[in-house]
């Protein structure tokens, strides 16, 4: 029973999920290690999300709906996965990945959105 509790506690310690539903919200997530999971959901306008992860097999998901939202994801290491979904008007997304075996997906719907992805 102690091992099961330790495994569950470790999963929660390595995971970060946040959500905001209004205007001018800021979500910041920074994780280091292996098997990290970060999720951010924002709905409204002028929201800002930044996720930083370093290590191995990290996963990041950012979902924003509304207008003039900004999202930034930086991942350093091996086997990282980043997904950004934005819907609305004038949203901006940037993803930077360094290492090898990285995957990035950005989906934007609406008008006047822009996205930049750098993989090194």
């Amino acid at each position: 029973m102690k091992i099961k509790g330790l495994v569950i506690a470790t999963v929660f310690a390595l995971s970060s999920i946040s959500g905001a539903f209004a205007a001018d919200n800021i979500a910041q997530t920074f994780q280091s290690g292996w098997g990290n999971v970060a999720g951010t959901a924002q709905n409204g306008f002028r929201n800002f999300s930044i996720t930083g992860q370093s290590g191995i097999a990290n996963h990041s998901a950012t979902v924003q709906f509304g207008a003039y939202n900004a999202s930034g994801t930086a991942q350093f290491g091996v086997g990282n996965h980043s997904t950004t979904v934005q819907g609305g008007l004038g949203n901006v997304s940037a993803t930077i990945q360094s290492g090898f075996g990285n995957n990035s997906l950005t989906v934007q719907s609406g008008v006047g959105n822009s996205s930049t992805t750098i993989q090194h």
Side-chain angles (χ1 to χ4, degrees):
M1 186 69 172
K2 288 185 179 184
I3 292 175
K4 181 179 178 184
L6 178 62
V7 169
I8 291 171
T10 302
V11 168
F12 282 116
L14 294 176
S15 300
S16 172
I17 299 173
S18 60
F21 304 97
D24 298 317
N25 294 300
I26 297 174
Q28 299 175 338
T29 305
F30 301 97
Q31 297 176 317
S32 179
W34 59 273
N36 296 312
V37 177
T40 302
Q42 294 176 314
N43 188 17
F45 60 95
R46 292 190 314 265
N47 295 311
F48 177 75
S49 170
I50 184 167
T51 303
Q53 296 177 315
S54 65
I56 299 171
N58 298 311
H59 302 275
S60 169
T62 302
V63 178
Q64 295 175 316
F65 292 103
Y68 307 107
N69 295 310
S71 170
T73 302
Q75 295 177 317
F76 305 95
V78 178
N80 298 312
H81 303 278
S82 170
T83 302
T84 302
V85 177
Q86 292 177 315
L89 169 70
N91 295 310
V92 177
S93 171
T95 301
I96 298 172
Q97 296 177 317
S98 179
F100 63 91
N102 299 318
N103 295 299
S104 175
L105 172 66
T106 300
V107 178
Q108 293 177 313
S109 64
V111 178
N113 298 315
S114 63
S115 174
T116 300
T117 300
I118 300 170
Q119 293 178 314
H120 183 269

